[in-house]
Amino acid sequence: MAIIIELDVQLAQRKMKSTELAAAIGITPQNLSILRAGRAKAIRFSTLEAICRYLQCQPGDILRYQDDPTEP
């Protein structure tokens, strides 16, 4: 996947558990786990906004593009 999710980095910098973030933004821990693992097919802007608001960060702090040489 060319989009890298760096949510774990943001959580570690804040010494925060993912369950705390999930509860604060109103999504299930399972859905947050799917996002953290990079298995999500999509993310709603409202979810991204809630994450950024709670963590006081920018979307670019969470999402990073990395070129995938195996894709055309």
Side-chain angles (χ1 to χ4, degrees):
M1 177 181 241
I3 302 295
I4 307 299
I5 308 296
E6 296 192 331
L7 190 52
D8 284 337
V9 173
Q10 296 299 315
L11 291 171
Q13 287 176 348
R14 290 160 177 79
K15 296 182 173 103
M16 182 183 299
K17 294 188 179 195
S18 60
T19 53
E20 178 185 344
L21 177 61
I25 64 172
I27 66 172
T28 65
Q30 293 83 3
N31 283 341
L32 187 59
S33 177
I34 290 168
L35 179 61
R36 288 176 47 224
R39 295 189 319 260
K41 300 289 185 203
I43 182 171
R44 292 183 179 176
F45 282 126
S46 59
T47 302
L48 183 58
E49 179 183 359
I51 291 169
C52 290
R53 184 182 309 116
Y54 190 77
L55 296 179
Q56 296 180 349
C57 66
Q58 295 294 314
D61 297 331
I62 298 170
L63 305 172
R64 180 173 55 88
Y65 173 77
Q66 180 175 322
D67 193 22
D68 186 353
T70 63
E71 292 185 14

